PDB file of all heavy atoms in Angstrom:
ATOM      1  N   ARG Y 311      -2.120  24.445   0.445  1.00 84.00           N
ATOM      2  CA  ARG Y 311      -2.093  25.748  -0.231  1.00 84.00           C
ATOM      3  C   ARG Y 311      -1.444  25.640  -1.602  1.00 84.00           C
ATOM      4  O   ARG Y 311      -1.925  26.213  -2.588  1.00 84.00           O
ATOM      5  CB  ARG Y 311      -1.311  26.763   0.616  1.00 84.00           C
ATOM      6  CG  ARG Y 311      -2.040  27.268   1.839  1.00 84.00           C
ATOM      7  CD  ARG Y 311      -1.091  28.013   2.766  1.00 84.00           C
ATOM      8  NE  ARG Y 311      -0.434  29.139   2.109  1.00 84.00           N
ATOM      9  CZ  ARG Y 311      -0.934  30.361   2.050  1.00 84.00           C
ATOM     10  NH1 ARG Y 311      -2.101  30.623   2.610  1.00 84.00           N
ATOM     11  NH2 ARG Y 311      -0.278  31.331   1.454  1.00 84.00           N
ATOM     12  N   GLU Y 312      -0.353  24.902  -1.681  1.00 82.00           N
ATOM     13  CA  GLU Y 312       0.390  24.797  -2.937  1.00 82.00           C
ATOM     14  C   GLU Y 312      -0.365  23.991  -3.978  1.00 82.00           C
ATOM     15  O   GLU Y 312      -0.501  24.408  -5.135  1.00 82.00           O
ATOM     16  CB  GLU Y 312       1.745  24.150  -2.649  1.00 82.00           C
ATOM     17  CG  GLU Y 312       2.556  23.839  -3.892  1.00 82.00           C
ATOM     18  CD  GLU Y 312       3.769  22.992  -3.566  1.00 82.00           C
ATOM     19  OE1 GLU Y 312       4.237  23.029  -2.418  1.00 82.00           O
ATOM     20  OE2 GLU Y 312       4.232  22.283  -4.475  1.00 82.00           O
ATOM     21  N   ARG Y 313      -0.870  22.802  -3.568  1.00 81.00           N
ATOM     22  CA  ARG Y 313      -1.495  21.905  -4.535  1.00 81.00           C
ATOM     23  C   ARG Y 313      -2.780  22.478  -5.113  1.00 81.00           C
ATOM     24  O   ARG Y 313      -3.095  22.272  -6.283  1.00 81.00           O
ATOM     25  CB  ARG Y 313      -1.795  20.555  -3.890  1.00 81.00           C
ATOM     26  CG  ARG Y 313      -0.581  19.729  -3.476  1.00 81.00           C
ATOM     27  CD  ARG Y 313       0.418  19.570  -4.599  1.00 81.00           C
ATOM     28  NE  ARG Y 313       1.314  18.447  -4.368  1.00 81.00           N
ATOM     29  CZ  ARG Y 313       2.513  18.317  -4.906  1.00 81.00           C
ATOM     30  NH1 ARG Y 313       2.984  19.268  -5.686  1.00 81.00           N
ATOM     31  NH2 ARG Y 313       3.259  17.253  -4.671  1.00 81.00           N
ATOM     32  N   PHE Y 314      -3.526  23.204  -4.295  1.00 82.00           N
ATOM     33  CA  PHE Y 314      -4.787  23.764  -4.775  1.00 82.00           C
ATOM     34  C   PHE Y 314      -4.683  25.261  -5.077  1.00 82.00           C
ATOM     35  O   PHE Y 314      -5.691  25.948  -5.197  1.00 82.00           O
ATOM     36  CB  PHE Y 314      -5.896  23.497  -3.760  1.00 82.00           C
ATOM     37  CG  PHE Y 314      -6.236  22.040  -3.653  1.00 82.00           C
ATOM     38  CD1 PHE Y 314      -6.029  21.344  -2.468  1.00 82.00           C
ATOM     39  CD2 PHE Y 314      -6.718  21.338  -4.741  1.00 82.00           C
ATOM     40  CE1 PHE Y 314      -6.314  19.999  -2.368  1.00 82.00           C
ATOM     41  CE2 PHE Y 314      -7.016  19.988  -4.662  1.00 82.00           C
ATOM     42  CZ  PHE Y 314      -6.816  19.318  -3.481  1.00 82.00           C
ATOM     43  N   ARG Y 315      -3.449  25.741  -5.189  1.00 78.00           N
ATOM     44  CA  ARG Y 315      -3.162  27.107  -5.624  1.00 78.00           C
ATOM     45  C   ARG Y 315      -3.887  28.152  -4.779  1.00 78.00           C
ATOM     46  O   ARG Y 315      -4.370  29.173  -5.288  1.00 78.00           O
ATOM     47  CB  ARG Y 315      -3.524  27.279  -7.110  1.00 78.00           C
ATOM     48  CG  ARG Y 315      -2.744  26.340  -8.021  1.00 78.00           C
ATOM     49  CD  ARG Y 315      -3.055  26.582  -9.473  1.00 78.00           C
ATOM     50  NE  ARG Y 315      -2.349  25.651 -10.340  1.00 78.00           N
ATOM     51  CZ  ARG Y 315      -1.102  25.788 -10.745  1.00 78.00           C
ATOM     52  NH1 ARG Y 315      -0.395  26.844 -10.364  1.00 78.00           N
ATOM     53  NH2 ARG Y 315      -0.538  24.881 -11.535  1.00 78.00           N
ATOM     54  N   LEU Y 316      -3.969  27.896  -3.484  1.00 79.00           N
ATOM     55  CA  LEU Y 316      -4.590  28.876  -2.600  1.00 79.00           C
ATOM     56  C   LEU Y 316      -3.747  30.139  -2.498  1.00 79.00           C
ATOM     57  O   LEU Y 316      -4.254  31.193  -2.107  1.00 79.00           O
ATOM     58  CB  LEU Y 316      -4.796  28.267  -1.209  1.00 79.00           C
ATOM     59  CG  LEU Y 316      -5.645  26.989  -1.164  1.00 79.00           C
ATOM     60  CD1 LEU Y 316      -5.837  26.540   0.281  1.00 79.00           C
ATOM     61  CD2 LEU Y 316      -6.984  27.187  -1.837  1.00 79.00           C
ATOM     62  N   THR Y 317      -2.475  30.028  -2.846  1.00 67.00           N
ATOM     63  CA  THR Y 317      -1.610  31.213  -2.813  1.00 67.00           C
ATOM     64  C   THR Y 317      -1.966  32.193  -3.913  1.00 67.00           C
ATOM     65  O   THR Y 317      -1.494  33.329  -3.915  1.00 67.00           O
ATOM     66  CB  THR Y 317      -0.137  30.796  -2.972  1.00 67.00           C
ATOM     67  OG1 THR Y 317      -0.012  29.966  -4.140  1.00 67.00           O
ATOM     68  CG2 THR Y 317       0.334  30.025  -1.758  1.00 67.00           C
ATOM     69  N   ASP Y 318      -2.801  31.770  -4.895  1.00 67.00           N
ATOM     70  CA  ASP Y 318      -3.220  32.685  -5.955  1.00 67.00           C
ATOM     71  C   ASP Y 318      -4.385  33.566  -5.528  1.00 67.00           C
ATOM     72  O   ASP Y 318      -4.754  34.503  -6.242  1.00 67.00           O
ATOM     73  CB  ASP Y 318      -3.648  31.894  -7.200  1.00 67.00           C
ATOM     74  CG  ASP Y 318      -2.454  31.212  -7.861  1.00 67.00           C
ATOM     75  OD1 ASP Y 318      -1.324  31.609  -7.559  1.00 67.00           O
ATOM     76  OD2 ASP Y 318      -2.667  30.298  -8.672  1.00 67.00           O
ATOM     77  N   ALA Y 319      -4.994  33.255  -4.376  1.00 63.00           N
ATOM     78  CA  ALA Y 319      -6.146  34.044  -3.922  1.00 63.00           C
ATOM     79  C   ALA Y 319      -5.701  35.469  -3.602  1.00 63.00           C
ATOM     80  O   ALA Y 319      -4.651  35.671  -2.993  1.00 63.00           O
ATOM     81  CB  ALA Y 319      -6.770  33.387  -2.698  1.00 63.00           C
ATOM     82  N   PRO Y 320      -6.503  36.479  -3.983  1.00 63.00           N
ATOM     83  CA  PRO Y 320      -6.094  37.878  -3.728  1.00 63.00           C
ATOM     84  C   PRO Y 320      -5.822  38.162  -2.263  1.00 63.00           C
ATOM     85  O   PRO Y 320      -4.935  38.957  -1.937  1.00 63.00           O
ATOM     86  CB  PRO Y 320      -7.301  38.674  -4.238  1.00 63.00           C
ATOM     87  CG  PRO Y 320      -7.962  37.783  -5.243  1.00 63.00           C
ATOM     88  CD  PRO Y 320      -7.752  36.382  -4.744  1.00 63.00           C
ATOM     89  N   ALA Y 321      -6.564  37.509  -1.370  1.00 59.00           N
ATOM     90  CA  ALA Y 321      -6.407  37.804   0.053  1.00 59.00           C
ATOM     91  C   ALA Y 321      -5.066  37.355   0.607  1.00 59.00           C
ATOM     92  O   ALA Y 321      -4.642  37.814   1.666  1.00 59.00           O
ATOM     93  CB  ALA Y 321      -7.530  37.154   0.857  1.00 59.00           C
ATOM     94  N   THR Y 322      -4.374  36.451  -0.094  1.00 55.00           N
ATOM     95  CA  THR Y 322      -3.119  35.942   0.453  1.00 55.00           C
ATOM     96  C   THR Y 322      -2.058  37.029   0.542  1.00 55.00           C
ATOM     97  O   THR Y 322      -1.094  36.896   1.282  1.00 55.00           O
ATOM     98  CB  THR Y 322      -2.575  34.785  -0.398  1.00 55.00           C
ATOM     99  OG1 THR Y 322      -2.380  35.257  -1.749  1.00 55.00           O
ATOM    100  CG2 THR Y 322      -3.543  33.623  -0.409  1.00 55.00           C
ATOM    101  N   ALA Y 323      -2.215  38.100  -0.211  1.00 56.00           N
ATOM    102  CA  ALA Y 323      -1.240  39.193  -0.127  1.00 56.00           C
ATOM    103  C   ALA Y 323      -1.249  39.835   1.257  1.00 56.00           C
ATOM    104  O   ALA Y 323      -0.278  40.472   1.657  1.00 56.00           O
ATOM    105  CB  ALA Y 323      -1.549  40.245  -1.186  1.00 56.00           C
ATOM    106  N   GLN Y 324      -2.358  39.651   1.995  1.00 58.00           N
ATOM    107  CA  GLN Y 324      -2.466  40.234   3.319  1.00 58.00           C
ATOM    108  C   GLN Y 324      -1.946  39.293   4.407  1.00 58.00           C
ATOM    109  O   GLN Y 324      -1.846  39.688   5.573  1.00 58.00           O
ATOM    110  CB  GLN Y 324      -3.934  40.572   3.618  1.00 58.00           C
ATOM    111  CG  GLN Y 324      -4.637  41.349   2.517  1.00 58.00           C
ATOM    112  CD  GLN Y 324      -3.994  42.692   2.258  1.00 58.00           C
ATOM    113  OE1 GLN Y 324      -3.569  43.349   3.208  1.00 58.00           O
ATOM    114  NE2 GLN Y 324      -3.920  43.102   0.996  1.00 58.00           N
ATOM    115  N   ASP Y 325      -1.652  38.043   4.047  1.00 57.00           N
ATOM    116  CA  ASP Y 325      -1.351  37.023   5.050  1.00 57.00           C
ATOM    117  C   ASP Y 325       0.134  36.964   5.382  1.00 57.00           C
ATOM    118  O   ASP Y 325       0.995  37.262   4.549  1.00 57.00           O
ATOM    119  CB  ASP Y 325      -1.788  35.639   4.572  1.00 57.00           C
ATOM    120  CG  ASP Y 325      -3.296  35.530   4.449  1.00 57.00           C
ATOM    121  OD1 ASP Y 325      -3.985  36.378   5.048  1.00 57.00           O
ATOM    122  OD2 ASP Y 325      -3.764  34.626   3.755  1.00 57.00           O
ATOM    123  N   GLU Y 326       0.401  36.540   6.602  1.00 58.00           N
ATOM    124  CA  GLU Y 326       1.753  36.213   7.010  1.00 58.00           C
ATOM    125  C   GLU Y 326       1.940  34.705   6.867  1.00 58.00           C
ATOM    126  O   GLU Y 326       0.973  33.942   6.881  1.00 58.00           O
ATOM    127  CB  GLU Y 326       1.970  36.627   8.463  1.00 58.00           C
ATOM    128  CG  GLU Y 326       1.909  38.125   8.686  1.00 58.00           C
ATOM    129  CD  GLU Y 326       3.050  38.863   8.018  1.00 58.00           C
ATOM    130  OE1 GLU Y 326       4.124  38.260   7.868  1.00 58.00           O
ATOM    131  OE2 GLU Y 326       2.873  40.035   7.655  1.00 58.00           O
ATOM    132  N   PRO Y 327       3.182  34.213   6.725  1.00 59.00           N
ATOM    133  CA  PRO Y 327       3.394  32.783   6.518  1.00 59.00           C
ATOM    134  C   PRO Y 327       3.116  31.929   7.748  1.00 59.00           C
ATOM    135  O   PRO Y 327       2.927  30.734   7.638  1.00 59.00           O
ATOM    136  CB  PRO Y 327       4.869  32.695   6.118  1.00 59.00           C
ATOM    137  CG  PRO Y 327       5.486  33.937   6.671  1.00 59.00           C
ATOM    138  CD  PRO Y 327       4.422  34.992   6.605  1.00 59.00           C
ATOM    139  N   ALA Y 328       3.129  32.517   8.956  1.00 59.00           N
ATOM    140  CA  ALA Y 328       2.910  31.729  10.165  1.00 59.00           C
ATOM    141  C   ALA Y 328       1.715  32.289  10.928  1.00 59.00           C
ATOM    142  O   ALA Y 328       1.262  33.404  10.692  1.00 59.00           O
ATOM    143  CB  ALA Y 328       4.154  31.759  11.058  1.00 59.00           C
ATOM    144  N   ALA Y 329       1.203  31.480  11.852  1.00 61.00           N
ATOM    145  CA  ALA Y 329       0.073  31.915  12.664  1.00 61.00           C
ATOM    146  C   ALA Y 329       0.446  33.167  13.444  1.00 61.00           C
ATOM    147  O   ALA Y 329       1.593  33.336  13.861  1.00 61.00           O
ATOM    148  CB  ALA Y 329      -0.334  30.801  13.631  1.00 61.00           C
ATOM    149  N   PRO Y 330      -0.519  34.093  13.659  1.00 62.00           N
ATOM    150  CA  PRO Y 330      -0.195  35.364  14.323  1.00 62.00           C
ATOM    151  C   PRO Y 330       0.421  35.194  15.702  1.00 62.00           C
ATOM    152  O   PRO Y 330       1.219  36.030  16.117  1.00 62.00           O
ATOM    153  CB  PRO Y 330      -1.566  36.054  14.408  1.00 62.00           C
ATOM    154  CG  PRO Y 330      -2.375  35.443  13.325  1.00 62.00           C
ATOM    155  CD  PRO Y 330      -1.910  34.026  13.219  1.00 62.00           C
ATOM    156  N   PHE Y 331       0.050  34.123  16.408  1.00 69.00           N
ATOM    157  CA  PHE Y 331       0.572  33.953  17.764  1.00 69.00           C
ATOM    158  C   PHE Y 331       1.876  33.170  17.804  1.00 69.00           C
ATOM    159  O   PHE Y 331       2.468  32.993  18.867  1.00 69.00           O
ATOM    160  CB  PHE Y 331      -0.465  33.236  18.648  1.00 69.00           C
ATOM    161  CG  PHE Y 331      -0.805  31.851  18.176  1.00 69.00           C
ATOM    162  CD1 PHE Y 331       0.007  30.763  18.481  1.00 69.00           C
ATOM    163  CD2 PHE Y 331      -1.950  31.628  17.436  1.00 69.00           C
ATOM    164  CE1 PHE Y 331      -0.306  29.497  18.032  1.00 69.00           C
ATOM    165  CE2 PHE Y 331      -2.260  30.346  16.988  1.00 69.00           C
ATOM    166  CZ  PHE Y 331      -1.443  29.283  17.293  1.00 69.00           C
TER     167      PHE Y 331
END
Side-chain angles (χ1 to χ4, degrees):
R311 286 167 58 88
E312 173 190 336
R313 294 309 199 203
F314 292 116
R315 300 183 182 277
L316 302 183
T317 52
D318 291 343
T322 58
Q324 311 299 322
D325 293 342
E326 294 293 331
F331 62 82

